[in-house]
Amino acid sequence: MNVNRSAAMRGVAERTPVHAGRHGRRGGWPRRNWGLVPARGTVLVGVLIALLVLTLITLGLFGMVRLNALGATISHDGNRAQMAADAAANMAVKELMDGSDLDGDGTIGSISNDGNAANDPTLFPGTRMWASRSDASGVMTILARGQSAQARRATQVLATGSSGSGGGGSQVFFTRESSAAVRHSSFNTGTQTWGAAATSGTLSNAPIWCAAAASGTSTMVLVSDSGDRLRYGLADSSGTATFSQMVDDLGSGNSRPFDVATEPSSGEGLMIYFHKPPQKMQSRTVINGTLGDQVDMPLSTSDVHWARLVPMSASGNELMALTIDGNEDLHAVRWTGSAWTGQTTLHTSIHKKDAEGMAGAIEATSGRLMVAYSDATDNRVGYRIFTPGSGWSSNVWINGFDAKVHWIRLISLPSSNSILLAASNDVGRLRTSRWNGTTWTTPTSITDNVGGTNSRHFDLHVSPDGSDVILMYGKGGAAVFYRLWTGSGWSSEATAFTLSSGTAQTVLVRPGSSASTLVGVVGDSNGGANAWSWNGNAFGAVSRVGTTGTSFKEFEWFAIPPGTSGSASKPTITEWAVVAP
């Protein structure tokens, strides 16, 4: 029993492996497998690689965030710049519609176009905007720009039709004897003020009489000088023009044997003038800024002292030319829109050849043309009516003017056949009458002393929307007076304003460039031009915009291209587009 147990124990012992100790000794810990354990330092390398990968990922994420932020900023600046460009375009179009240089940069339809970025308007902090205007072939082009940081955007607007650049009651042109120059001032409808005067162009002789009218987007300006020459200039939207000689001898320096007007439908210009050497009335058109050929008018006269162009409709291109010659005969000849036709002698004894004793106006509803004129034999005014397709009526008299008439003005009242007449006579009395489509009323006394007879010390006109009709006049002093038409008669007399220098001389009233606005000039006895405005409720500040020599103080040495009376005229926008800046 003991033997067997010992043998069993010995067998177990033989089958049990004997391991080396920790240092190779037999017995102790089992042997390690050194080929499966990393070499010393490789763990640190792994950690560094992991950190590098994490850093790159972090930097990549940060870069993406920055790029996204930068992209958002660039997009934001671009949007702000485009909004600023659109805002500048809207501001420029507002000027065109109002016919006024609202921001005072010198041009209607441009915004802060003065080369000074410091005064550009802003839409948002850090943005600026500005706009320029150019005209060609009857098209007004506005290029509006906006900038935000480095982003720039542009908007282009194209417009056709008339605007303040073509007159529209927004600019006054006047002559300056001392510097042989033509100057101008622009009206700001927003502030109801006239701007500082600037030179339009220069002449070689002292200028005297002045006439102006729109032609497309420009303004035709005619000026006579002390050498009896006629000068012509086509003023751009800023009022600047180059003047060239049209006629070397008008025949008279003390009267105005020339005129200029706008064809109502086309918006283009027509001028007429007397040329003494051939002893002919002649004309030229101005189309798309181009001066047409000289054309002889079918008028048999050897001398002309006064000329006047009168539109024959509100929608066609016909005009009637009226002239008073050296024999004090009144003639009429019609422009069809392309040619002159016929001559009619309306009266053979105008009171005085050195006063404009004739005027014309249409009946707004019927389209008939009324012409009124003075008479050398009695205290009366004659009239004749031209009916399209029928011709001229016979002469009819309006009695009751107290003395022989010197100066006459007519205006049409909108949406009716009514016409208002104002006339001053030999002794300075001012009388008015109204045509109701059939007869004239008995003349009404306005004042017995307008302050003189050598020039027209009164005028009247209707606002573009037809809401106001103003009669203005002097009374021999510094105060200028006015009355408003009530629909059936004149309001009580009121003081419009008082001149800062001299007494009232020649008075000019014109429809303005917007709604109920009327504008005008009163010349004073010290040779000043006092520009004024009416906004439908009150007169704005009066500005003495310029002076001429006292030699010509009684002449009409200033002109305002008229706006459209009876209906407001606006340009038409034909294109609005985003363009490259």
Side-chain angles (χ1 to χ4, degrees):
M1 186 69 176
N2 291 336
V3 174
N4 292 339
R5 183 179 180 184
S6 298
M9 295 296 292
R10 188 170 54 249
V12 172
E14 290 176 353
R15 291 194 297 270
T16 301
V18 179
H19 298 282
R22 184 173 184 177
H23 297 288
R25 297 186 300 270
R26 295 181 63 86
W29 298 104
R31 183 184 299 272
R32 294 180 181 273
N33 186 354
W34 294 105
L36 299 178
V37 178
R40 184 175 298 177
T42 58
V43 173
L44 178 60
V45 172
V47 170
L48 292 175
I49 291 174
L51 289 174
L52 178 61
V53 171
L54 289 174
T55 301
L56 291 176
I57 292 173
T58 302
L59 290 175
L61 292 174
F62 182 72
M64 290 178 64
V65 170
R66 289 198 62 188
L67 287 174
N68 286 335
L70 180 61
T73 299
I74 293 174
S75 177
H76 182 61
D77 285 338
N79 290 336
R80 285 158 56 109
Q82 186 60 59
M83 292 172 70
D86 289 340
N90 276 292
M91 292 172 66
V93 169
K94 169 68 173 173
E95 289 196 352
L96 289 185
M97 295 300 176
D98 287 354
S100 179
D101 181 18
L102 298 176
D103 71 328
D105 69 348
T107 300
I108 297 171
S110 71
I111 301 299
S112 194
N113 191 32
D114 53 9
N116 181 10
N119 63 12
D120 289 344
T122 61
L123 186 61
F124 305 104
T127 64
R128 67 186 190 95
M129 53 189 177
W130 66 102
S132 62
R133 170 185 165 178
S134 60
D135 300 336
S137 301
V139 177
M140 297 170 279
T141 300
I142 295 171
L143 184 58
R145 294 180 173 91
Q147 181 174 349
S148 177
Q150 299 303 312
R152 291 195 177 197
R153 298 293 185 268
T155 297
Q156 179 175 278
V157 180
L158 304 182
T160 59
S162 61
S163 74
S165 68
S170 60
Q171 287 181 321
V172 56
F173 293 86
F174 55 93
T175 61
R176 191 172 192 177
E177 179 187 4
S178 59
S179 59
V182 178
R183 293 172 65 78
H184 71 275
S185 172
S186 297
F187 181 65
N188 186 319
T189 57
T191 60
Q192 291 285 297
T193 57
W194 290 92
T199 298
S200 297
T202 57
L203 311 177
S204 56
N205 293 79
I208 309 178
W209 295 89
C210 183
S215 176
T217 58
S218 303
T219 302
M220 305 172 292
V221 183
L222 291 181
V223 177
S224 65
D225 65 25
S226 57
D228 286 345
R229 300 177 183 89
L230 180 65
R231 310 282 182 167
Y232 160 74
L234 188 66
D236 59 19
S237 56
S238 67
T240 303
T242 299
F243 287 86
S244 58
Q245 182 171 301
M246 292 284 294
V247 174
D248 55 5
D249 191 354
L250 285 168
S252 175
N254 293 326
S255 55
R256 196 200 66 241
F258 63 88
D259 198 18
V260 62
T262 307
E263 292 180 340
S265 179
S266 71
E268 302 295 352
L270 178 69
M271 65 181 74
I272 60 174
Y273 47 85
F274 181 71
H275 201 170
K276 186 176 181 180
Q279 295 185 329
K280 291 181 178 180
M281 279 296 294
Q282 297 173 326
S283 71
R284 288 178 184 260
T285 59
V286 179
I287 300 175
N288 291 330
T290 301
L291 188 64
D293 294 333
Q294 186 167 267
V295 175
D296 292 341
M297 298 170 61
L299 275 173
S300 301
T301 181
S302 60
D303 189 16
V304 171
H305 285 245
W306 296 94
R308 176 69 68 181
L309 282 168
V310 182
M312 295 184 63
S313 72
S315 57
N317 288 325
E318 289 188 292
L319 296 106
M320 189 70 74
L322 305 174
T323 64
I324 297 175
D325 65 20
N327 295 322
E328 297 178 343
D329 296 337
L330 173 62
H331 304 288
V333 60
R334 183 167 59 95
W335 171 254
T336 65
S338 59
W340 294 100
T341 178
Q343 171 187 316
T344 300
T345 300
L346 299 180
H347 192 47
T348 57
S349 56
I350 294 293
H351 176 41
K352 279 194 171 184
K353 64 185 178 183
D354 58 357
E356 193 177 10
M358 52 87 170
I362 61 169
E363 293 178 332
T365 302
S366 73
R368 298 190 304 173
L369 175 67
M370 170 73 69
V371 175
Y373 40 86
S374 65
D375 180 53
T377 62
D378 208 342
N379 307 334
R380 58 191 182 182
V381 168
Y383 71 92
R384 296 180 67 172
I385 298 174
F386 180 85
T387 302
S390 299
W392 290 98
S393 68
S394 58
N395 175 78
V396 182
W397 297 111
I398 313 168
N399 295 301
F401 286 89
D402 301 326
K404 294 176 183 177
V405 169
H406 271 210
W407 304 88
I408 298 177
R409 297 293 264 180
L410 292 179
I411 61 161
S412 304
L413 297 182
S415 305
S416 73
N417 286 329
S418 294
I419 296 173
L420 297 179
L421 177 152
S424 62
N425 60 25
D426 268 347
V427 294
R429 294 171 181 162
L430 178 60
R431 303 290 185 261
T432 65
S433 180
R434 177 192 179 187
W435 171 259
N436 62 11
T438 305
T439 59
W440 287 97
T441 61
T442 301
T444 299
S445 175
I446 299 298
T447 180
D448 284 339
N449 180 20
V450 292
T453 61
N454 291 333
S455 63
R456 194 189 66 247
H457 289 231
F458 69 93
D459 201 5
L460 75 167
H461 227 302
V462 59
S463 62
D465 63 3
S467 62
D468 288 325
V469 178
I470 284 186
L471 171 65
M472 294 189 68
Y473 51 94
K475 295 175 68 173
V480 178
F481 301 91
Y482 77 102
R483 295 174 187 254
L484 294 172
W485 181 252
T486 65
S488 58
W490 293 104
S491 66
S492 300
E493 179 179 274
T495 301
F497 48 83
T498 300
L499 301 176
S500 61
S501 176
T503 60
Q505 301 288 309
T506 301
V507 177
L508 178 69
V509 181
R510 287 288 182 267
S513 59
S514 61
S516 57
T517 303
L518 286 136
V519 293
V521 179
V522 176
D524 64 51
S525 57
N526 292 327
N530 302 271
W532 57 269
S533 66
W534 168 265
N535 65 5
N537 295 301
F539 288 94
V542 179
S543 176
R544 200 166 189 256
V545 294
T547 59
T548 190
T550 55
S551 303
F552 307 135
K553 65 182 181 181
E554 293 183 335
F555 298 158
E556 198 165 327
W557 50 278
F558 38 77
I560 297 177
T564 303
S565 58
S567 62
S569 176
K570 304 291 184 183
T572 300
I573 304 300
T574 60
E575 181 180 308
W576 189 298
V578 174
V579 296

